[in-house]
Amino acid sequence: MSLDWNRRELMLAAGGLAITGLEFPLATYGQDPASQSLDPLGKDLIFRTTDPRNGEPELAQLVKSWITPVKHFYVRSHAPNPVIDIKQFRLTVEGKVRKPLTLDLNQLSQMPRQQVTATLTCAGNRRTEFNEESKVGGVQWEAGAIGNARWSGFALADVLHQAGVLEDAKHVWFEGLDQIQRPQGVIPFGGSIPIEKAMVGGEMPGALLVDQMNGSALTPDHGYPLRTVVPGYIGARSVKWLGKIVVSDQPSPNHYLATAYKIVKKTDPIDWTESGPIYRYPINGAIATPQPQARVPAGVVDVSGYVLPSGRPGSRVQRIQISTDGGSTWQPAKTTGQSSEFCWQLWKARVKVTPGTKALYLRATDTAGGFMPARVPWNAKGYLQNRWYRLPISVT
Ligand code: MTE
């Protein structure tokens, strides 16, 4: 555990803190005493770094339920959780709009509330698999940087309609209230999405401004008091601790859109400029059980995991297959639990293994034409690793 938790985190750990106007329900920080003693914010995760907080759950825990409990929902933060005074908190909407807005949470909650279930996943999920070829920097994620939650909040499109978007608007920038130390100074986390995505309304809005996760107020780790959730896009576009929205004719100049979160071979200016920002995530999946290197007797073995179909509207998992012979032959897996747009699909399979079986492989396809390929070219930041998932086992 890191020794430098900020004051608020320590107070939360000590029993909950009334933050001027909003009481945190401490129960949401982990129900069982064991997980609370491990982490002051009640997370039951494997922390890859503790300052800032970056952690993923054990895969066997992760696939136990279609909705990921907050304590098992991965955290990816570039700086410590900011301390936000709810009384002072305002969301501003500016730029290419007829009527700039400054909204407190009460004003925001006058908007129609919307609920969606959507999966969030980090572009760096499964990054460590790139290390087989050459080590990549960044948080060393295995396959747990993913989670599926019920989000409640307000459609970005409704807020933008209220502000009145001008004709030449092309991108919507989001800016967080966190402070990230970079070589050129302190910056907030930010990014943008295309205006077309931002203006999607209806039951599955293109983007939401969210204040609740799984029925409770967002926790500090997940962006309290307000964040964006952009179904279908990599997690980096879902900006936590949201403070500012700017409507522009340009993409956001923020480092995390303009430079980071791109597929590059080298981290040099030519590659950065040649490569566009990643928005939508591709299909991906993992085998969650058995454990890697598990010793299993020859015969039938139960396998389970998740597959996330590519982040296109309407895309669903089409086929999930397991191979016990290195990809020569494939056996079907069965989907379990719910199936929903922009959500992962859990699955189970029973496959036959022999002493010759060295590994189990997973591959999948979706209705948008997405497929997990046998290999993915190495990239310097280790993003979008979605090759066949390989789980080494030892058959006795
Ligand atoms: N927003 C802010 N303000 N700061 C951050 O560091 N990390 C992003 C995104 N939003 C980040 C952020 C990244 S890279 C991911 S994958 C998701 O938040 C993770 O969301 P979670 O921590 O709620 O799982």
Side-chain angles (χ1 to χ4, degrees):
M1 184 205 292
S2 154
L3 291 176
D4 42 11
W5 300 106
N6 67 38
R7 208 176 107 254
R8 178 156 156 265
E9 285 168 337
L10 284 171
M11 288 173 79
L12 280 166
L17 169 66
I19 297 186
T20 44
L22 194 134
E23 190 106 16
F24 276 110
L26 189 69
T28 56
Y29 297 121
Q31 315 288 353
D32 64 293
S35 71
Q36 277 191 19
S37 66
L38 285 176
D39 174 54
L41 295 184
K43 283 292 200 178
D44 187 2
L45 300 175
I46 304 160
F47 278 94
R48 303 294 174 204
T49 69
T50 51
D51 184 18
R53 287 162 66 76
N54 286 297
E56 62 184 309
E58 274 181 22
L59 292 186
Q61 294 284 359
L62 181 62
V63 297
K64 277 190 177 156
S65 58
W66 188 64
I67 297 290
T68 312
V70 173
K71 70 174 174 180
H72 288 141
F73 204 101
Y74 81 100
V75 176
R76 202 295 175 238
S77 296
H78 292 74
N81 296 343
V83 177
I84 296 166
D85 177 350
I86 197 79
K87 276 203 176 136
Q88 306 293 322
F89 177 82
R90 299 287 182 277
L91 171 71
T92 59
V93 183
E94 56 191 72
K96 293 201 170 283
V97 292
R98 266 176 216 101
K99 194 174 95 182
L101 305 173
T102 301
L103 302 170
D104 63 23
L105 287 175
N106 273 336
Q107 290 166 314
L108 194 59
S109 55
Q110 307 302 310
M111 303 257 168
R113 186 166 278 280
Q114 278 193 271
Q115 286 227 35
V116 307
T117 303
T119 295
L120 207 64
T121 186
C122 187
N125 193 32
R126 302 182 54 191
R127 169 178 286 141
T128 47
E129 295 170 50
F130 285 112
N131 295 343
E132 289 167 19
E133 192 171 328
S134 176
K135 170 97 185 179
V136 283
V139 180
Q140 293 297 297
W141 296 119
E142 295 190 356
I146 183 167
N148 190 47
R150 280 196 322 271
W151 308 100
S152 173
F154 315 96
L156 173 62
D158 287 346
V159 176
L160 293 178
H161 281 306
Q162 194 174 329
V165 169
L166 296 175
E167 303 264 282
D168 52 347
K170 292 202 169 65
H171 298 267
V172 179
W173 307 358
F174 305 131
E175 203 177 281
L177 293 165
D178 45 352
Q179 297 187 313
I180 306 168
Q181 211 78 47
R182 302 263 326 144
Q184 61 278 34
V186 173
I187 61 163
F189 188 90
S192 59
I193 62 171
I195 190 78
E196 294 81 1
K197 173 81 170 162
M199 297 307 282
V200 173
E203 276 182 18
M204 180 56 81
L208 287 132
L209 310 185
V210 155
D211 61 351
Q212 290 174 22
M213 177 179 186
N214 293 350
S216 298
L218 286 173
T219 61
D221 281 329
H222 294 293
Y224 171 85
L226 192 69
R227 73 174 303 164
T228 57
V229 166
V230 185
Y233 280 14
I234 58 165
R237 306 300 167 233
S238 291
V239 173
K240 303 193 279 190
W241 312 294
L242 182 70
K244 196 198 267 190
I245 293 175
V246 180
V247 180
S248 176
D249 55 359
Q250 304 285 323
S252 165
N254 184 280
H255 171 77
Y256 296 97
L257 187 105
T259 307
Y261 294 99
K262 290 182 172 180
I263 302 279
V264 291
K265 218 49 188 173
K266 283 192 273 170
T267 51
D268 74 13
I270 298 178
D271 275 43
W272 290 129
T273 312
E274 281 177 353
S275 180
I278 309 168
Y279 294 109
R280 202 186 310 118
Y281 54 72
I283 187 173
N284 207 346
I287 299 174
T289 65
Q291 298 263 353
Q293 312 293 353
R295 290 167 69 82
V296 296
V300 169
V301 60
D302 286 315
V303 189
S304 74
Y306 69 80
V307 169
L308 177 65
S310 39
R312 285 185 177 276
S315 169
R316 302 292 169 98
V317 166
Q318 190 175 48
R319 204 171 54 189
I320 303 174
Q321 294 175 310
I322 306 295
S323 175
T324 57
D325 57 10
S328 301
T329 62
W330 295 88
Q331 305 170 50
K334 270 199 184 119
T335 59
T336 62
Q338 276 173 261
S339 165
S340 186
E341 193 186 18
F342 297 121
C343 290
W344 69 2
Q345 177 72 62
L346 301 181
W347 57 265
K348 279 188 165 47
R350 301 201 100 183
V351 292
K352 252 185 129 173
V353 292
T354 65
T357 309
K358 297 283 169 270
L360 303 175
Y361 287 82
L362 161 75
R363 73 178 186 186
T365 62
D366 65 40
T367 55
F371 59 92
M372 292 170 68
R375 286 196 60 221
V376 167
W378 185 92
N379 67 86
K381 302 278 289 180
Y383 292 137
L384 308 187
Q385 173 58 269
N386 70 340
R387 68 178 187 187
W388 298 350
Y389 189 86
R390 179 178 187 275
L391 182 93
I393 54 165
S394 141
V395 182
T396 53

Coordinates of all heavy atoms in Angstrom, one line a residue, residues 160-193:
L160 N -25.7 19.4 -24.7 CA -25.3 20.2 -25.8 C -26.4 20.9 -26.5 O -26.3 22.0 -27.0 CB -24.5 19.3 -26.8 CG -23.2 18.7 -26.3 CD1 -22.5 17.8 -27.3 CD2 -22.2 19.9 -25.9
H161 N -27.6 20.2 -26.5 CA -28.8 20.9 -27.1 C -29.1 22.1 -26.3 O -29.5 23.1 -26.9 CB -30.0 19.9 -27.1 CG -29.9 18.9 -28.3 ND1 -29.8 19.3 -29.6 CD2 -30.0 17.6 -28.3 CE1 -29.8 18.3 -30.4 NE2 -29.9 17.2 -29.6
Q162 N -29.0 22.0 -25.0 CA -29.3 23.2 -24.1 C -28.3 24.3 -24.4 O -28.7 25.5 -24.4 CB -29.2 22.8 -22.7 CG -29.8 23.8 -21.8 CD -29.9 23.4 -20.3 OE1 -30.0 22.2 -20.0 NE2 -29.7 24.3 -19.4
A163 N -27.1 24.0 -24.7 CA -26.1 25.0 -25.0 C -26.2 25.5 -26.4 O -25.7 26.6 -26.7 CB -24.7 24.5 -24.7
G164 N -26.8 24.8 -27.3 CA -26.9 25.2 -28.7 C -25.6 25.1 -29.5 O -24.9 26.1 -29.6
V165 N -25.4 24.0 -30.1 CA -24.1 23.8 -30.8 C -24.1 24.5 -32.1 O -25.1 24.5 -32.9 CB -23.9 22.2 -31.1 CG1 -22.8 22.0 -32.0 CG2 -23.7 21.5 -29.7
L166 N -23.0 25.2 -32.4 CA -22.9 26.0 -33.7 C -22.6 25.1 -34.8 O -22.1 24.0 -34.7 CB -21.9 27.1 -33.5 CG -22.2 28.2 -32.4 CD1 -21.0 29.1 -32.3 CD2 -23.5 28.9 -32.8
E167 N -22.9 25.6 -36.0 CA -22.8 24.8 -37.3 C -21.4 24.2 -37.5 O -21.3 23.1 -38.0 CB -23.0 25.7 -38.5 CG -24.4 26.4 -38.5 CD -25.4 25.6 -39.3 OE1 -25.4 25.7 -40.5 OE2 -26.3 24.9 -38.7
D168 N -20.3 24.9 -37.1 CA -19.0 24.5 -37.5 C -18.4 23.6 -36.4 O -17.2 23.3 -36.4 CB -18.1 25.6 -37.8 CG -18.1 26.7 -36.8 OD1 -19.0 26.7 -35.9 OD2 -17.2 27.6 -36.8
A169 N -19.2 23.2 -35.4 CA -18.7 22.3 -34.3 C -18.3 20.9 -34.9 O -19.1 20.4 -35.7 CB -19.7 22.1 -33.3
K170 N -17.1 20.4 -34.6 CA -16.7 19.1 -35.1 C -16.3 18.1 -34.0 O -16.3 16.9 -34.2 CB -15.6 19.3 -36.1 CG -15.9 20.0 -37.3 CD -14.9 19.7 -38.4 CE -15.4 20.1 -39.8 NZ -15.5 21.6 -39.9
H171 N -15.8 18.6 -32.9 CA -15.4 17.8 -31.8 C -15.8 18.3 -30.4 O -16.0 19.5 -30.3 CB -13.8 17.7 -31.8 CG -13.2 17.1 -33.0 ND1 -12.9 15.8 -33.2 CD2 -13.0 17.8 -34.2 CE1 -12.5 15.6 -34.4 NE2 -12.5 16.8 -35.1
V172 N -16.0 17.4 -29.5 CA -16.3 17.8 -28.1 C -15.2 17.4 -27.2 O -14.9 16.2 -27.1 CB -17.7 17.2 -27.7 CG1 -18.0 17.7 -26.3 CG2 -18.8 17.7 -28.7
W173 N -14.6 18.4 -26.5 CA -13.5 18.1 -25.6 C -14.0 17.9 -24.2 O -14.9 18.6 -23.8 CB -12.5 19.3 -25.5 CG -12.0 19.8 -26.8 CD1 -12.2 19.4 -28.1 CD2 -11.1 21.0 -26.9 NE1 -11.5 20.2 -29.0 CE2 -10.9 21.2 -28.3 CE3 -10.5 21.9 -26.0 CZ2 -10.1 22.2 -28.8 CZ3 -9.7 22.9 -26.5 CH2 -9.5 23.0 -27.9
F174 N -13.3 17.0 -23.5 CA -13.6 16.8 -22.1 C -12.3 17.1 -21.3 O -11.3 16.7 -21.7 CB -14.0 15.3 -21.8 CG -15.2 14.8 -22.6 CD1 -15.1 13.6 -23.3 CD2 -16.4 15.5 -22.7 CE1 -16.1 13.1 -24.0 CE2 -17.4 15.0 -23.4 CZ -17.3 13.8 -24.1
E175 N -12.5 17.8 -20.2 CA -11.3 18.0 -19.4 C -11.6 17.6 -17.9 O -12.6 18.0 -17.3 CB -11.0 19.5 -19.4 CG -9.5 19.8 -19.1 CD -9.2 21.3 -19.3 OE1 -9.0 21.7 -20.4 OE2 -9.2 22.0 -18.3
G176 N -10.6 16.9 -17.3 CA -10.8 16.4 -15.9 C -10.2 17.5 -15.0 O -9.6 18.5 -15.4
L177 N -10.5 17.2 -13.7 CA -10.0 18.2 -12.6 C -8.8 17.6 -11.9 O -8.4 18.1 -10.9 CB -11.1 18.4 -11.6 CG -12.4 19.2 -12.1 CD1 -13.6 19.1 -11.2 CD2 -12.0 20.6 -12.4
D178 N -8.2 16.6 -12.5 CA -7.0 16.0 -11.9 C -5.8 16.8 -12.4 O -5.9 17.6 -13.4 CB -6.8 14.5 -12.2 CG -7.1 14.1 -13.7 OD1 -7.6 15.0 -14.4 OD2 -6.9 13.0 -14.0
Q179 N -4.7 16.6 -11.7 CA -3.4 17.4 -12.1 C -2.3 16.4 -12.3 O -1.9 15.7 -11.4 CB -3.1 18.3 -10.9 CG -4.2 19.3 -10.7 CD -3.7 20.4 -9.7 OE1 -3.2 20.0 -8.6 NE2 -3.9 21.6 -10.0
I180 N -1.9 16.3 -13.6 CA -1.0 15.2 -13.9 C 0.4 15.9 -14.2 O 0.5 16.9 -15.0 CB -1.4 14.5 -15.2 CG1 -2.8 13.9 -15.0 CG2 -0.4 13.4 -15.6 CD1 -3.5 13.4 -16.2
Q181 N 1.4 15.4 -13.5 CA 2.7 16.0 -13.6 C 3.3 15.4 -14.9 O 3.5 14.2 -15.1 CB 3.6 15.4 -12.4 CG 4.6 16.3 -12.0 CD 4.1 17.5 -11.1 OE1 3.3 17.2 -10.2 NE2 4.5 18.7 -11.4
R182 N 3.6 16.3 -15.9 CA 4.2 15.9 -17.1 C 5.5 16.7 -17.2 O 5.7 17.8 -16.6 CB 3.3 16.3 -18.3 CG 2.0 15.6 -18.3 CD 1.9 14.4 -19.1 NE 2.7 14.4 -20.3 CZ 3.3 13.3 -20.8 NH1 3.2 12.2 -20.2 NH2 4.0 13.4 -21.9
P183 N 6.5 16.3 -18.1 CA 7.7 17.1 -18.2 C 7.5 18.5 -18.5 O 8.2 19.4 -18.0 CB 8.5 16.4 -19.4 CG 7.8 15.0 -19.5 CD 6.4 15.1 -19.0
Q184 N 6.5 18.9 -19.3 CA 6.3 20.3 -19.6 C 5.4 21.0 -18.6 O 5.0 22.2 -18.8 CB 5.7 20.4 -21.1 CG 4.4 19.8 -21.4 CD 4.4 18.3 -21.7 OE1 5.3 17.5 -21.1 NE2 3.5 17.8 -22.5
G185 N 5.0 20.4 -17.5 CA 4.2 21.0 -16.5 C 3.0 20.2 -16.1 O 2.9 19.0 -16.5
V186 N 2.2 20.8 -15.3 CA 1.0 20.0 -14.8 C -0.2 20.2 -15.7 O -0.5 21.3 -16.1 CB 0.6 20.6 -13.4 CG1 -0.7 19.9 -12.9 CG2 1.8 20.3 -12.4
I187 N -0.8 19.1 -16.1 CA -1.9 19.2 -17.0 C -3.1 18.3 -16.5 O -2.9 17.4 -15.8 CB -1.6 18.7 -18.5 CG1 -1.1 17.3 -18.5 CG2 -0.5 19.6 -19.1 CD1 -1.2 16.6 -19.9
P188 N -4.3 18.7 -16.9 CA -5.4 17.8 -16.6 C -5.5 16.6 -17.6 O -5.0 16.8 -18.7 CB -6.7 18.7 -16.7 CG -6.3 19.7 -17.7 CD -4.8 19.9 -17.7
F189 N -6.1 15.5 -17.2 CA -6.4 14.5 -18.2 C -7.6 15.0 -19.1 O -8.5 15.7 -18.6 CB -6.9 13.2 -17.6 CG -7.0 12.1 -18.5 CD1 -5.9 11.2 -18.8 CD2 -8.2 11.8 -19.2 CE1 -6.0 10.2 -19.7 CE2 -8.3 10.7 -20.1 CZ -7.2 9.9 -20.3
G190 N -7.5 14.8 -20.4 CA -8.5 15.2 -21.3 C -8.6 14.5 -22.6 O -7.8 13.5 -22.8
G191 N -9.5 14.8 -23.5 CA -9.6 14.2 -24.8 C -10.8 14.7 -25.4 O -11.4 15.7 -25.0
S192 N -11.2 14.1 -26.6 CA -12.4 14.6 -27.2 C -13.0 13.4 -28.0 O -12.4 12.4 -28.2 CB -12.1 15.7 -28.2 OG -11.1 15.4 -29.1
I193 N -14.3 13.7 -28.4 CA -14.9 12.7 -29.3 C -15.6 13.5 -30.4 O -15.8 14.7 -30.3 CB -16.0 11.9 -28.5 CG1 -17.1 12.8 -28.0 CG2 -15.4 11.1 -27.4 CD1 -18.3 12.0 -27.4

